[in-house]
Amino acid sequence: MTESETSLCRQKRKRKSPLLELTKPGLVFNPAVDIFETERELTCWLICRVVKAKDLKIDLKDNVLTLTADETPLEGPGEKDVIREYRTGTYYRQFFSFRHH
């Protein structure tokens, strides 16, 4: 682990509450995320099911990267659930100490 990754983990542990409070009712999931960085860009791979690009919100403010996404309903017009084993909700992840380049 690099020094900056160690620092990021340390700062993440110190923070007790998230900066964003989700007030929307329903389930909230913490999806797996991979983040890659170059001098010019940040690339995030977020593992979410049934999320359209327009429903993904990315915010980088005050060195805090926040990712939120709402799932798109699976059923089509006029359809109703017969069996539903997959639970739907909001995806949410937040990472501290990201630098602006």
Side-chain angles (χ1 to χ4, degrees):
M1 188 178 283
T2 67
E3 186 178 320
S4 64
E5 290 171 328
T6 303
S7 174
L8 176 64
C9 289
R10 212 176 291 122
Q11 289 180 17
K12 193 173 177 183
R13 271 188 244 121
K14 286 180 187 176
R15 192 164 211 71
K16 297 291 184 202
S17 62
L19 295 178
L20 174 67
E21 181 178 339
L22 297 175
T23 56
K24 183 175 150 182
L27 296 172
V28 177
F29 302 106
N30 293 319
V33 175
D34 289 335
I35 300 174
F36 306 94
E37 181 178 46
T38 68
E39 289 295 320
R40 299 196 55 182
E41 63 188 18
L42 197 62
T43 301
C44 299
W45 285 96
L46 182 67
I47 310 299
C48 297
R49 186 182 155 197
V50 196
V51 172
K52 294 182 180 178
K54 69 179 183 64
D55 297 325
L56 176 63
K57 296 166 191 71
I58 302 169
D59 184 44
L60 180 58
K61 190 183 307 177
D62 299 326
N63 294 326
V64 178
L65 174 65
T66 304
L67 306 169
T68 55
D70 292 318
E71 285 187 303
T72 304
L74 295 171
E75 56 275 345
E79 292 181 328
K80 62 180 181 176
D81 292 340
V82 175
I83 296 173
R84 178 170 282 217
E85 295 179 344
Y86 184 79
R87 296 166 56 183
T88 59
T90 298
Y91 292 98
Y92 172 81
R93 287 298 302 269
Q94 194 168 60
F95 303 90
F96 302 92
S97 298
F98 272 90
R99 304 176 306 281
H100 294 281
H101 290 287

